[in-house]
Amino acid sequence: QVQLVESGGGLVQAGGSLRLSCAASGRTFSSYAMGWFRQAPGKEREFVAAINWSGDITYYADSVKGRFAISRDNAKNTVYLQMNSLKPEDTAVYYCAATRAGAGIRIAGYDYDYWGQGTQVTVSS
């Protein structure tokens, strides 16, 4: 099993940048792929980005493609989400998730086995 802790959320102005981190703790990590999801008030949770554990495959939702970048540091068991050109519609609670099916990527929430507590991102105009 693995425990996930997100950090780096906050309040930024439109057009600004923010970097989220997700630190994983546990005994084994070799087969895990990672994903980022977000949920705004009154809306369903949506997929944002994913990366396989080897780091050679990434996938993004159309709404963030070209603005967000997912990356990882396996030595630190940490996954990052770099968010640039932020818009008010990016405001949401952002969640980190892990799946044991780590060779490829997964974009559905039910494919993930572990979830972090979430971190709030607020973008003002």
Side-chain angles (χ1 to χ4, degrees):
Q1 296 187 3
V2 62
Q3 185 173 7
L4 307 174
V5 180
E6 303 98 332
S7 61
L11 174 63
V12 298
Q13 288 191 322
S17 298
L18 206 61
R19 190 193 197 196
L20 305 183
S21 298
C22 174
S25 62
R27 302 295 292 182
T28 60
F29 309 96
S30 60
S31 65
Y32 284 84
M34 305 295 297
W36 287 97
F37 293 77
R38 67 186 183 185
Q39 187 169 25
K43 298 183 178 180
E44 64 183 6
R45 183 174 295 182
E46 65 174 337
F47 169 79
V48 176
I51 186 169
N52 70 331
W53 201 243
S54 60
D56 58 345
I57 304 174
T58 59
Y59 191 80
Y60 299 92
D62 288 341
S63 60
V64 306
K65 194 174 300 181
R67 300 188 297 119
F68 291 10
I70 188 171
S71 62
R72 68 193 306 153
D73 185 338
N74 286 338
K76 297 181 178 180
N77 295 318
T78 301
V79 176
Y80 306 94
L81 185 67
Q82 179 66 48
M83 303 184 294
N84 299 322
S85 301
L86 283 163
K87 306 174 181 179
E89 51 262 45
D90 294 319
T91 295
V93 176
Y94 283 71
Y95 297 91
C96 176
T99 173
R100 294 183 64 184
I105 59 171
R106 299 290 187 273
I107 63 173
Y110 55 74
D111 286 327
Y112 286 81
D113 304 296
Y114 306 101
W115 295 82
Q117 82 289 347
T119 185
Q120 177 71 49
V121 172
T122 303
V123 184
S124 65
S125 59

